[in-house]
Amino acid sequence: MKERKALDSEEDINNLLALDNQLCFALYAVNRAITGRYRPLLAELDLTYPQYLVMLVMWEADRKGDSPRVSSIGERLRLDSGTLTPLLRRLEQRGLLTRQRSSEDERVVTVALTDEGRAMREKASDVPLRLLCDLGVGPEQAVQLREDLRDLLSRVEGDR
Amino acid sequence: MKERKALDSEEDINNLLALDNQLCFALYAVNRAITGRYRPLLAELDLTYPQYLVMLVMWEADRKGDSPRVSSIGERLRLDSGTLTPLLRRLEQRGLLTRQRSSEDERVVTVALTDEGRAMREKASDVPLRLLCDLGVGPEQAVQLREDLRDLLSRVEGDR
DNA sequence: GGATAACATGTTGTGCACAATATAGTTGTT
DNA sequence: AACAACTATATTGTGCACAACATGTTATCC
């Protein structure tokens, strides 16, 4: 038999590494699994999940008559220009939106939907329901989890 | 005033798109926020988060005297060879582990820790606690959320 | 009004994530 | 033995994600 004390602290480390694995890894794995579930639905629109998120922001802004700047989109989605610039460029090349540098402030690039981008909104409107059905998660459970995640997000982002 | 009916269905679509945004987007955003929290801690070990996950699996296997094959690691982390092969190659180049093709079955590549890789475990042992403190999440809350996420994961992965 | 700081976006480089395909080895059937 | 089916890993290509740096712009302080 081994010593009791040394074994315990070893076990503690094992448990911590395992717990940690399961807490943050669960998040990591679920996130990839869910974007995997989106993939076939979004493939019908020829969009990736991050592209879909950008389109959601754009549809929302467009309804208010806004043409958001790149930084606004980044703020909303917590993505930086290194991610957004090439992503927006691809959507622009496909004719879903336009990017235009402001004449007032040359640093600013405003993004606007084209008619084609606006039209895609209808084709995308059934994605959320189809996904929720696909997941087999009840609405109240979904809301609860979303609240927990939002709470966690504010904690994680809170004190920098 | 606009028609009641048309406005309602428009609002429904808006709500769905917004709810969807918030549920799955919350997961997406929290995941990135948390790996961002890991980043400075893991930078001390010169590891990325996926590399850290692989090392966790390796430390766990090593304790049992195992030298897992690439596919076992991938199964555990839900990652495929396109992700793991270059990642493992980088860890091998740094001398943390070895990759060896099995002589019994030449298709199989087994991965084993080096002494250096084994030694890193101690330096990494305080990462989980430091992260939990950093997040400001209580243990019982963490356990609850982990359970919810594991439940969700089994749902999402369940029926393919 | 000229240095300087703060700002908005873009560029470059590294490292995942994953689909599609390739390669090579193994097993089973005839 | 020959061949097909299957398996394990590697390779290639596209698209994020983010850090570090570059470029040009505006504002501010003196």
Side-chain angles (χ1 to χ4, degrees):
Chain A
M1 251 203 197
K2 291 166 194 171
E3 298 173 45
R4 196 84 183 86
K5 224 166 197 171
L7 190 64
D8 269 7
S9 68
E10 266 305 301
E11 280 305 310
D12 285 351
I13 291 179
N14 283 341
N15 286 336
L16 268 177
L17 289 175
L19 171 71
D20 172 63
N21 185 325
Q22 292 178 13
L23 170 62
C24 295
F25 171 63
L27 206 54
Y28 172 78
V30 168
N31 178 50
R32 294 208 331 282
I34 289 201
T35 62
R37 285 292 200 171
Y38 268 102
R39 214 180 308 279
L41 301 186
L42 296 181
E44 297 173 14
L45 305 170
D46 198 20
L47 290 178
T48 65
Y49 184 63
Q51 287 169 359
Y52 172 64
L53 291 179
V54 167
M55 293 304 287
L56 285 182
V57 171
M58 288 305 301
W59 289 323
E60 206 170 310
D62 192 61
R63 304 241 113 204
K64 300 182 197 158
D66 279 4
S67 294
R69 47 176 68 183
V70 175
S71 56
S72 308
I73 300 174
E75 220 167 293
R76 191 81 198 282
L77 299 179
R78 277 97 172 166
L79 292 172
D80 73 356
S81 71
T83 303
L84 286 176
T85 296
L87 190 158
L88 291 171
R89 183 162 36 223
R90 279 185 280 271
L91 294 180
E92 183 183 36
Q93 281 167 357
R94 282 181 49 195
L96 295 174
L97 48 82
T98 61
R99 293 184 302 154
Q100 187 158 19
R101 199 167 282 276
S102 163
S103 53
E104 300 158 16
D105 185 341
E106 296 265 351
R107 294 169 303 179
V108 174
V109 170
T110 58
V111 183
L113 284 179
T114 61
D115 287 341
E116 195 181 339
R118 223 168 268 123
M120 181 181 269
R121 183 171 174 276
E122 292 186 28
K123 280 191 292 181
S125 61
D126 65 342
V127 169
L129 266 186
R130 287 171 69 194
L131 187 85
L132 282 179
C133 292
D134 209 25
L135 291 186
V137 177
E140 70 295 328
Q141 199 179 358
V143 169
Q144 178 61 50
L145 188 55
R146 170 167 60 83
E147 285 310 306
D148 291 347
L149 289 171
R150 287 174 58 160
D151 180 56
L152 182 56
L153 182 60
S154 69
R155 260 174 228 271
V156 176
E157 289 188 327
D159 46 306
R160 299 241 117 172
Chain B
M1 245 199 198
K2 292 166 194 170
E3 298 174 45
R4 195 85 182 85
K5 222 165 196 173
L7 191 65
D8 268 7
S9 68
E10 267 304 304
E11 281 303 310
D12 285 350
I13 292 178
N14 284 341
N15 287 336
L16 268 177
L17 288 176
L19 170 72
D20 172 63
N21 185 326
Q22 291 178 13
L23 169 62
C24 296
F25 171 64
L27 205 55
Y28 172 77
V30 167
N31 178 51
R32 292 206 334 280
I34 289 201
T35 61
R37 286 291 201 172
Y38 267 103
R39 215 179 308 278
L41 301 185
L42 296 180
E44 298 174 14
L45 305 171
D46 198 20
L47 290 178
T48 65
Y49 184 64
Q51 287 169 359
Y52 172 65
L53 291 178
V54 167
M55 292 304 288
L56 285 182
V57 171
M58 288 306 301
W59 290 323
E60 208 170 309
D62 193 61
R63 303 242 112 202
K64 299 182 197 157
D66 278 6
S67 295
R69 48 177 68 183
V70 174
S71 55
S72 307
I73 300 174
E75 221 167 293
R76 191 79 198 282
L77 299 179
R78 278 99 171 161
L79 292 172
D80 73 357
S81 71
T83 302
L84 286 176
T85 296
L87 190 159
L88 291 170
R89 183 159 38 220
R90 279 184 282 271
L91 295 179
E92 183 183 37
Q93 279 166 359
R94 283 181 48 193
L96 295 174
L97 49 81
T98 60
R99 292 185 302 154
Q100 188 159 19
R101 200 165 281 277
S102 163
S103 52
E104 300 157 15
D105 185 340
E106 295 267 350
R107 295 169 304 178
V108 174
V109 171
T110 59
V111 182
L113 284 179
T114 61
D115 288 341
E116 196 182 340
R118 222 167 268 122
M120 181 180 270
R121 184 171 174 277
E122 293 186 27
K123 281 190 291 181
S125 62
D126 65 343
V127 168
L129 267 186
R130 287 171 70 194
L131 186 87
L132 282 179
C133 291
D134 209 24
L135 291 186
V137 176
E140 70 294 328
Q141 198 179 358
V143 169
Q144 178 61 48
L145 187 55
R146 170 167 60 83
E147 285 310 306
D148 290 347
L149 288 171
R150 286 174 59 162
D151 180 55
L152 181 56
L153 182 60
S154 69
R155 261 173 226 270
V156 176
E157 289 189 326
D159 47 306
R160 301 239 121 175

